[in-house]
């Protein structure tokens, strides 16, 4: 891998690049490159990601937090391909993904952004990994709201499984897919269109790919 930064994403919230540190690849989120009007939000999102990764330290399938100084977040690099490119069709991938998600929730973390396929990686050995914890639930409290959000994490994973490996869905998993949480139904009926409009027009995100446009 080259010693020069490799740009993964650049948008109004900053730049995400693969960089080298002591000969080891890692991922840098640079919020200094954020637009002035988005800088406060970019800071809060990076700080939230740092808290989540710190709580998940040592969990296989989640990047390690290497550094966070209020301007740059440095996390470990996980080799693999985003789900929308790898299109995993092996049932074993989803069994392992369910275990990874359960471990995440046991640590008191809800990802909250698993509808986006780029946040799921298929590692070189076929196992799953999770990235991008900018809007994760990090409070640790496991009350009713936590359980609702955790169930939506699970439902989003099952939606991906339905796309790529529907034959392996169980009856219980189909039931979960067919019964979204009340707040999810309300969101789809009210705020989702506005969110998509803002995401597309302001941040350049499109549907479940979640890729920001590269800007100068």
């Amino acid at each position: 891998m080259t010693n020069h930064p490799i740009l993964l994403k650049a948008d109004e919230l900053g730049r995400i690049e693969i960089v080298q540190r002591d000969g080891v690849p890692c991922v840098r989120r640079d919020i200094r490159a954020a637009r002035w009007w988005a800088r406060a939000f970019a800071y809060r999102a990076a700080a939230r990601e740092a808290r989540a990764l710190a709580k998940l330290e040592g969990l296989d399938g989640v990047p390690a937090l290497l550094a966070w100084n209020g301007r740059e977040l440095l996390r470990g690099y996980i080799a693999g391909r985003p789900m929308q490119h790898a299109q995993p069709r092996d049932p074993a991938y989803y069994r392992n993904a369910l275990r990874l998600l359960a471990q995440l929730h046991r640590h008191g973390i809800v990802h909250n952004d698993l509808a986006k396929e780029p946040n799921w990686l298929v590692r070189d050995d076929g196992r799953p990994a999770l990235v991008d914890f900018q809007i994760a639930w990090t409070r640790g409290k496991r009350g009713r709201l936590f359980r609702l959000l955790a169930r939506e994490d699970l439902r989003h994973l099952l939606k991906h499984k339905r796309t790529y490996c529907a034959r392996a869905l169980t009856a219980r998993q189909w039931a979960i897919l067919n019964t979204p949480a009340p707040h999810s139904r309300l969101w789809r009926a009210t705020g989702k269109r506005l969110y998509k409009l803002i995401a597309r027009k302001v941040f350049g995100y499109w549907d479940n790919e979640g890729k920001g446009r590269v800007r100068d």
Side-chain angles (χ1 to χ4, degrees):
M1 185 174 292
T2 177
N3 289 326
H4 299 290
I6 300 173
L7 180 65
L8 298 177
K9 180 177 172 181
D11 57 22
E12 280 67 14
L13 299 181
R15 297 170 64 88
I16 302 177
E17 303 168 317
I18 300 176
V19 298
Q20 294 278 336
R21 288 292 184 271
D22 300 322
V24 177
C26 53
V27 178
R28 176 175 65 195
R29 181 185 295 278
D30 187 355
I31 66 172
R32 294 171 299 183
R35 299 292 194 190
W36 65 267
W37 51 266
R39 205 157 288 153
F41 178 78
Y43 171 84
R44 288 195 296 271
R48 183 182 296 270
E49 180 165 27
R51 286 197 302 273
L53 296 183
K55 290 186 176 184
L56 296 170
E57 181 180 2
L59 179 59
D60 183 49
V62 173
L65 176 63
L66 304 178
W68 163 239
N69 61 11
R71 300 177 301 278
E72 291 183 342
L73 185 147
L74 210 61
R75 61 173 172 83
Y77 172 76
I78 298 178
R81 291 188 295 159
M83 176 181 276
Q84 76 272 18
H85 297 312
Q87 300 186 1
R89 302 183 189 279
D90 185 348
Y93 176 88
Y94 298 95
R95 288 195 297 270
N96 289 326
L98 285 168
R99 294 190 192 102
L100 176 58
L101 203 52
Q103 290 177 308
L104 207 75
H105 295 160
R106 279 198 292 271
H107 281 78
I109 302 294
V110 175
H111 190 285
N112 275 333
D113 205 15
L114 294 184
K116 293 179 182 175
E117 293 185 10
N119 292 341
W120 287 99
L121 297 183
V122 180
R123 291 189 272 180
D124 292 344
D125 62 4
R127 291 180 299 156
L130 289 172
V131 297
D132 196 351
F133 287 78
Q134 290 187 94
I135 61 172
W137 169 289
T138 61
R139 300 178 194 174
K141 297 180 180 179
R142 299 170 61 87
R144 185 170 182 270
L145 180 56
F146 175 92
R147 292 192 296 272
L148 281 172
L149 296 175
R151 186 180 185 276
E152 285 302 286
D153 268 0
L154 170 61
R155 204 169 67 85
H156 287 309
L157 170 59
L158 295 179
K159 287 168 73 173
H160 299 317
K161 184 177 181 180
R162 181 179 61 192
T163 298
Y164 297 115
C165 193
R167 72 187 188 280
L169 284 164
T170 67
R172 179 174 178 273
Q173 289 172 348
W174 277 113
I176 292 172
L177 278 169
N178 293 328
T179 53
H183 77 278
S184 178
R185 293 196 295 268
L186 179 63
W187 167 248
R188 286 190 294 179
T190 56
K192 189 171 183 178
R193 289 185 180 179
L194 177 61
Y195 165 80
K196 281 190 172 183
L197 178 64
I198 294 172
R200 291 174 180 178
K201 298 297 185 182
V202 178
F203 297 108
Y205 298 163
W206 292 90
D207 298 321
N208 69 338
E209 285 201 11
K211 291 179 66 177
R213 60 175 173 263
V214 174
R215 63 168 173 81
D216 296 329

